[in-house]
């Protein structure tokens, strides 16, 4: 069973990591999604969990990862997520070498073009 951070408590990296520790089973893990860190509302305002901290907390239990993108600048970098920082956490810090799925949720590119742009960004970072 793989649990993706997908809003509410599941998007609180520390909380979900605690659940994984309690489960303590080789067939239970996480699917850290780089974009899903909306934890609801605090004082009536939308609140989010720090995505880099959350991914860092979930990676020890990761069975996969979801590279979500929303938009790209003129040089091909994601506009909301620092992908170099994110991949530093995922690959270098946690020595992850498994699957990275791609999910595009932007509105300027078609879904296939957004997926291709995300793949190109990941390949560029890998080459660096």
């Amino acid at each position: 069973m793989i649990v993706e951070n997908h809003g509410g408590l599941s998007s609180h990296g520390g909380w979900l990591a605690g659940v994984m520790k309690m489960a303590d089973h080789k067939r239970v893990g996480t699917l850290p999604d780089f974009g899903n860190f909306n934890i609801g509302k605090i004082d009536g305002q939308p609140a989010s969990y720090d995505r880099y901290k959350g991914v860092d907390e979930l990676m020890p239990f990761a069975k996969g990862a979801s590279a979500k993108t929303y938009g790209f600048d003129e040089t091909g970098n994601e506009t909301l997520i620092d992908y170099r920082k994110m991949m530093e956490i995922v690959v270098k810090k946690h020595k992850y070498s498994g699957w990275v799925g791609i999910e595009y949720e932007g509105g300027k590119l078609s879904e296939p073009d957004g997926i291709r742009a995300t793949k190109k960004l990941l390949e560029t970072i890998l080459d660096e």
Side-chain angles (χ1 to χ4, degrees):
M1 178 195 314
I2 300 174
V3 181
E4 177 181 346
N5 51 300
H6 209 269
L9 283 175
S10 73
S11 288
H12 187 293
W15 181 86
L16 186 52
V19 171
M20 293 298 113
K21 288 175 187 171
M22 285 191 298
D24 191 26
H25 195 285
K26 68 181 180 180
R27 292 190 179 144
V28 173
T30 61
L31 177 67
D33 185 308
F34 300 173
N36 286 347
F37 285 97
N38 178 0
I39 56 174
K41 292 187 178 187
I42 296 177
D43 296 326
Q45 298 297 317
S48 61
Y49 195 80
D50 181 284
R51 72 180 75 243
Y52 308 101
K53 180 180 179 184
V55 168
D56 188 32
E57 292 168 331
L58 298 177
M59 282 310 299
F61 312 98
K63 306 293 187 189
S66 181
K68 182 175 285 175
T69 54
Y70 301 96
F72 300 91
D73 65 18
E74 63 281 346
T75 61
N77 290 307
E78 216 289 331
T79 56
L80 298 177
I81 301 169
D82 180 341
Y83 259 70
R84 282 165 183 81
K85 181 177 181 178
M86 192 63 80
M87 296 312 287
E88 181 84 21
I89 293 166
V90 172
V91 177
K92 287 191 175 181
K93 182 174 182 183
H94 291 282
K95 298 178 181 18
Y96 180 74
S97 62
W99 294 103
V100 176
I102 295 174
E103 186 177 3
Y104 174 69
E105 288 192 358
K108 291 191 176 185
L109 301 174
S110 68
E111 187 174 5
D113 286 343
I115 290 168
R116 283 189 278 277
T118 306
K119 182 176 185 276
K120 183 177 180 185
L121 174 58
L122 290 169
E123 290 171 341
T124 297
I125 294 169
L126 180 63
D127 289 343
E128 292 172 354

